[in-house]
Amino acid sequence: MELTDVAPVEKWEELEKKLHQNSGLNACVYNDQGARITKYVAWGNELCPIIKGHPQGVANICAVANQNMTSQAREAGEPVVDECEAGFVKFAVPIAKNGEFLGTVGGCGHVYPDVEVETFYIHKSIGHDQEELDKLAARVPRTSPEEIQKQIELVQKELAEILSSS
């Protein structure tokens, strides 16, 4: 079974939009292999489009974190919260139907108050100007563990509705 067997891509995109509008985070629905299933993009900060604009940024930062969190969510069967290599908080809520893991819904792109964006790592990964990265990092939105938990609960509620109507 695939996510599109449960709901059309447009329904998954609506969930992404709702999560982004509610939180400001990058919001994504991923299949069981950790690949995005929609084309919706709304950035949570100004650094993410720069990182994603470089194949090495995607490979070294985004893909590593996403594959790791997809695996953890699959194994745990419950939401996972961590940070990517750039220091952005990231969460993944598993999507399962009849005990079968189908993918995750996640958000990322903000930082906890006591965390600094890893601009040196970003610079080394993509070769982008360190000074510009530092300036953009200063504007990355801050969030709290409580706010992330609130977003996880929103996603779980929305998932319950989607899964019960399929």
Side-chain angles (χ1 to χ4, degrees):
M1 181 182 305
E2 300 202 11
L3 289 171
T4 52
D5 297 328
V6 173
V9 170
E10 296 80 17
K11 186 73 174 168
W12 295 113
E13 190 172 287
E14 284 176 30
L15 176 55
E16 291 173 332
K17 288 177 181 177
K18 187 169 193 169
L19 176 57
H20 176 74
Q21 289 166 352
N22 196 55
S23 67
L25 293 164
N26 300 328
C28 300
V29 175
Y30 299 101
N31 67 18
D32 64 337
Q33 300 300 306
R36 293 200 59 182
I37 68 162
T38 77
K39 297 191 182 325
Y40 175 73
V41 177
W43 301 113
N45 64 60
E46 297 170 282
L47 284 170
C48 287
I50 294 171
I51 294 167
K52 291 256 189 178
H54 293 81
Q56 285 306 107
V58 173
N60 293 341
I61 298 169
C62 305
V64 170
N66 192 47
Q67 289 170 355
N68 182 37
M69 293 194 69
T70 298
S71 177
Q72 288 180 46
R74 177 194 313 265
E75 290 174 26
E78 57 187 54
V80 178
V81 180
D82 207 345
E83 293 174 7
C84 72
E85 297 296 324
F88 302 126
V89 65
K90 181 174 181 67
F91 71 86
V93 178
I95 306 167
K97 178 98 174 161
N98 301 326
E100 182 181 352
F101 178 80
L102 303 177
T104 62
V105 178
C108 61
H110 294 180
V111 292
Y112 285 143
D114 60 342
V115 174
E116 295 299 318
V117 176
E118 298 292 338
T119 56
F120 182 72
Y121 185 82
I122 298 168
H123 166 72
K124 285 298 185 189
S125 293
I126 66 173
H128 200 83
D129 180 67
Q130 178 78 44
E131 210 171 292
E132 182 183 357
L133 294 173
D134 289 338
K135 286 178 188 173
L136 294 174
R139 298 199 299 257
V140 171
R142 302 269 169 188
T143 193
S144 67
E146 295 79 18
E147 181 60 27
I148 294 299
Q149 183 59 40
K150 182 176 148 188
Q151 299 312 315
I152 289 170
E153 290 167 7
L154 168 85
V155 167
Q156 289 174 314
K157 178 180 173 275
E158 295 292 323
L159 279 176
E161 289 178 25
I162 292 169
L163 293 169
S164 70
S165 66
S166 66

